[in-house]
């Protein structure tokens, strides 16, 4: 009996020992498991390889492709006036005309002038680094989402125009979009307050980033309570106030009217998207109003039928947020506020990374379609989102690739003509239809409510 009991105890001890060894694998086995996981997801190693390959390509472009003089000298002239003490935006001009960008542009390009001495070749190297950094951020976004297959990541490095915009033209669009992509990456990780600050920094360099504002506001309402939304928006507003303070104190009207002018009419010759429209119609106020109405209609339609589909539509979602806000304010003055203080936060859910990226990219793409004039550097506003947008659609892969190459072709025809601009608009509309006809994705990471306050 005792021997049998001892045998059972010994067997039990041996079993526990085996389980312990199995559960606590040696470091070599852990490393092998980690390496296996690394290679089981081909996106990550492929993205790293793509990054290194593109860095080599950028170096070759800088070394052997002639620089194109467009805006860099004008930027340096505007920055020089600012550094000499000029605070009146009406007097900050360059070869291409007056300064039309917010104050963040001046600070960034003042730093660029200090680093490069205003010389083109060092600036190209700097922008090559910015290109790789932006690509790294974009690849991180794509790797963290489950939309685009690993092999399609190479499309992010195939754009001749994107390389040109960064290292051969040195446009401020590059810096603005890099910050925008960094803000999007922060939003994907639920760092809403910091993301809004970086987003505001991008706006302070170029106003096109505001195309992302409507979908961003909708996402904030979904993922934060009302007080959190106001706090994040206040932080973004403070960034603009702080950066523009030297100009707001000195010449506020000149700064606001020049830096935030939404009514500028671009030259018809440089239009890539509406060259087929006769110039008198192109510059008319009626055409501008039509495009604005189309923009707002498309945003409202996508918000109601796509982005808020699982909440019962846009109006139902906004009503629920309004009721939630009233309840929150009522509880603040109620003796039961301590007991029910967390009831409002229980209605906040965690958004999936895919829903955040989809909403932001589609919202911006709608703005691109309805923009009165797209210049060649404006391709950087959405070229990095094209593979993601194409793989949201249910089009076959062959058609996705045709659409991508067609859009790229249109942006590389110089100067643009009626055929190329009409083709570009047609391709955009085909992509838009694919986005509209795809089934709406479920926006939340989990069904149960998020019990902690989002950052």
């Amino acid at each position: 009996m005792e021997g049998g009991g001892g045998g059972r105890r010994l067997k039990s001890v041996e079993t526990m020992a085996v389980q312990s060894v199995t559960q606590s694998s040696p470091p070599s086995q852990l490393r092998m498991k980690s390496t296996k996981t690394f290679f089981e997801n081909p996106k990550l190693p492929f993205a790293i390889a793509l990054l290194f390959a593109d860095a080599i390509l950028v170096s070759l472009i800088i070394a052997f492709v002639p620089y194109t003089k467009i805006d860099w000298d004008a930027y340096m002239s505007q920055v020089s006036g600012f550094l000499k003490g000029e605070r009146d935006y009406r007097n900050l001009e360059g070869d291409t005309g007056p300064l039309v960008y917010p104050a963040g542009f001046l600070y960034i390009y003042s730093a660029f002038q200090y680093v490069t001495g205003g010389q083109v070749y060092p600036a190209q190297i700097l922008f090559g680094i910015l290109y790789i950094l932006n690509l790294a951020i974009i690849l991180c976004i794509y790797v963290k989402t489950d939309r685009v297959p690993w092999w399609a990541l190479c499309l992010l490095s195939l754009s001749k125009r994107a390389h040109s915009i960064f290292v051969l033209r040195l446009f401020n669009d590059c810096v603005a979009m890099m910050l925008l992509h960094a803000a999007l990456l922060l939003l994907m990780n639920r760092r809403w307050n910091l993301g809004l600050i970086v987003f505001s920094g991008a706006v302070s360099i170029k106003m096109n980033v505001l195309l992302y504002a409507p979908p961003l506001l909708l996402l904030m309402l979904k993922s934060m309570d009302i007080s959190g939304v106001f706090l994040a928006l206040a932080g973004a507003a403070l960034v603009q106030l702080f950066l523009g303070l030297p100009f707001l104190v000195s010449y506020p009207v000149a700064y606001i009217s020049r830096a935030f002018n939404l009514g500028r009419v671009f030259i018809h010759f440089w239009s890539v998207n509406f060259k087929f429209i006769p110039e008198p119609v192109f510059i008319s106020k009626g055409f501008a109003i039509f495009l604005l109405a189309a923009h707002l209609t498309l945003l409202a339609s996508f918000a109601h039928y796509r982005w808020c589909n699982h909440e019962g539509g846009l109006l139902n979602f906004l009503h629920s947020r309004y009721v939630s806000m009233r309840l929150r304010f009522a509880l603040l003055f109620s003796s039961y506020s301590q007991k029910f203080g967390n009831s409002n936060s229980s209605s906040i859910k965690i958004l999936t990374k895919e829903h955040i990226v989809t909403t932001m990219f589609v919202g911006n793409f709608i703005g691109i379609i309805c923009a009165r004039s797209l210049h060649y550097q404006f391709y950087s506003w959405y070229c990095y989102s094209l593979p993601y947008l194409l793989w949201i659609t249910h089009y076959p892969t062959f058609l996705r690739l045709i659409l991508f190459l067609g859009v790229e072709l249109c942006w590389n025809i110089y100067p643009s003509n009626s055929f190329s601009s009409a083709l570009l608009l047609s391709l955009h509309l085909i992509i838009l239809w694919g986005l509209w006809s795809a089934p709406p994705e479920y926006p939340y990471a989990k069904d149960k409510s998020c019990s902690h306050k989002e950052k």
Side-chain angles (χ1 to χ4, degrees):
M1 297 276 301
E2 291 179 359
R8 284 194 296 270
R9 285 194 298 270
L10 180 60
K11 185 176 180 179
S12 177
V13 171
E14 290 174 348
T15 303
M16 293 174 62
V18 171
Q19 291 176 348
S20 176
V21 171
T22 303
Q23 292 174 359
S24 56
S25 302
S28 60
Q29 293 185 11
L30 291 177
R31 285 194 297 270
M32 290 176 62
K33 183 178 180 181
S34 176
T35 304
K36 185 178 178 181
T37 303
F38 179 83
F39 285 104
E40 279 181 348
N41 179 16
K43 276 189 179 181
L44 187 56
F46 188 77
I48 294 173
L50 191 64
L51 202 60
F52 279 102
D54 212 342
I56 296 173
L57 177 60
V58 167
S59 302
L60 294 174
I61 292 173
I62 295 174
F64 296 105
V65 181
Y67 158 76
T68 306
K69 180 181 177 181
I70 299 181
D71 280 349
W72 175 257
D73 291 342
Y75 292 165
M76 293 298 100
S77 298
Q78 295 160 353
V79 163
S80 297
F82 164 67
L83 294 176
K84 290 176 182 177
E86 182 60 67
R87 297 296 179 265
D88 189 345
Y89 253 58
R90 292 169 296 186
N91 298 327
L92 293 174
E93 296 186 351
D95 297 340
T96 57
L99 177 60
V100 293
Y101 308 122
F105 162 83
L106 287 173
Y107 300 128
I108 290 292
Y109 274 81
S110 294
F112 288 171
Q113 187 185 76
Y114 176 79
V115 172
T116 66
Q119 301 301 309
V120 170
Y121 184 68
Q124 285 185 278
I125 296 175
L126 177 60
F127 270 77
I129 296 172
L130 291 176
Y131 174 90
I132 295 302
L133 181 58
N134 176 67
L135 181 60
I137 295 171
I138 284 291
L139 286 171
C140 190
I141 291 173
Y142 274 74
V143 168
K144 284 179 172 289
T145 54
D146 190 23
R147 282 289 179 271
V148 180
W150 65 270
W151 59 267
L153 296 181
C154 66
L155 298 177
L156 298 169
S157 293
L158 291 181
S159 174
K160 176 183 176 182
R161 180 60 63 184
H163 286 90
S164 174
I165 291 169
F166 270 84
V167 298
L168 298 180
R169 270 75 173 179
L170 315 178
F171 287 120
N172 63 328
D173 306 74
C174 308
V175 186
M177 295 313 298
M178 185 190 69
L179 289 178
L180 182 276
H181 294 145
L184 179 55
L185 188 59
L186 288 169
L187 299 181
M188 291 171 62
N189 291 282
R190 304 198 300 278
R191 302 297 300 274
W192 293 94
N193 290 328
L194 183 57
L196 261 289
I197 290 175
V198 177
F199 178 86
S200 185
V203 173
S204 75
I205 296 172
K206 193 152 188 177
M207 289 275 287
N208 71 282
V209 179
L210 286 178
L211 292 177
Y212 285 92
L216 175 57
L217 179 60
L218 180 62
L219 292 172
M220 291 170 62
L221 290 172
K222 281 190 173 189
S223 61
M224 307 169 70
D225 58 29
I226 298 299
S227 60
V229 172
F230 280 113
L231 182 62
L233 292 177
L238 284 175
V239 170
Q240 295 298 323
L241 184 62
F242 175 75
L243 294 176
L245 192 60
F247 309 96
L248 292 170
V249 171
S250 304
Y251 300 93
V253 176
Y255 175 66
I256 295 173
S257 62
R258 291 293 182 95
F260 298 96
N261 182 10
L262 297 176
R264 285 194 300 150
V265 179
F266 293 100
I267 300 174
H268 180 258
F269 174 81
W270 293 111
S271 176
V272 180
N273 59 330
F274 282 121
K275 196 69 170 288
F276 64 93
I277 299 291
E279 187 171 2
V281 177
F282 177 85
I283 64 176
S284 68
K285 194 171 183 179
F287 186 54
I289 293 174
F290 167 76
L291 291 176
L292 177 61
H295 188 189
L296 296 177
T297 301
L298 285 172
L299 282 176
S301 299
F302 269 84
H304 183 74
Y305 294 103
R306 316 297 301 169
W307 305 331
C308 293
N309 178 271
H310 292 88
E311 292 85 1
L314 178 62
L315 296 179
N316 186 66
F317 168 73
L318 293 177
H319 181 263
S320 67
R321 301 307 295 143
Y322 172 71
V323 171
S324 178
M325 180 181 66
R326 289 190 59 183
L327 176 62
R328 182 175 180 83
F329 281 113
L331 291 174
L332 287 176
F333 299 98
S334 171
S335 59
Y336 298 101
S337 61
Q338 184 175 1
K339 181 177 180 181
F340 298 103
N342 293 327
S343 62
N344 184 63
S345 63
S346 64
S347 64
I348 305 301
K349 298 180 179 180
I350 299 176
L351 297 175
T352 64
K353 293 179 174 63
E354 287 79 9
H355 182 68
I356 292 173
V357 177
T358 297
T359 305
M360 292 286 280
F361 279 170
V362 174
N364 175 68
F365 185 65
I366 290 172
I368 294 293
I369 293 176
C370 299
R372 173 152 54 165
S373 182
L374 295 177
H375 291 184
Y376 283 96
Q377 65 268 33
F378 296 177
Y379 187 40
S380 62
W381 296 2
Y382 77 109
C383 64
Y384 290 104
S385 67
L386 268 179
Y388 191 96
L389 294 174
L390 289 169
W391 259 264
I392 295 175
T393 70
H394 278 190
Y395 295 146
T397 299
F398 179 75
L399 180 56
R400 291 167 177 161
L401 295 176
I402 291 295
L403 291 170
F404 178 86
L405 294 175
V407 171
E408 177 69 20
L409 173 65
C410 292
W411 281 98
N412 282 282
I413 295 176
Y414 177 83
S416 61
N417 52 59
S418 297
F419 174 77
S420 66
S421 62
L423 176 60
L424 180 62
L425 178 61
S426 300
L427 295 173
H428 283 171
L429 293 177
I430 292 172
I431 296 172
L432 184 68
W433 172 252
L435 297 171
W436 176 261
S437 59
E441 59 190 2
Y442 187 71
Y444 300 111
K446 52 184 179 179
D447 293 330
K448 64 180 182 179
S449 301
C450 177
S451 60
H452 64 278
K453 187 177 181 180
E454 300 295 344
K455 295 181 180 181

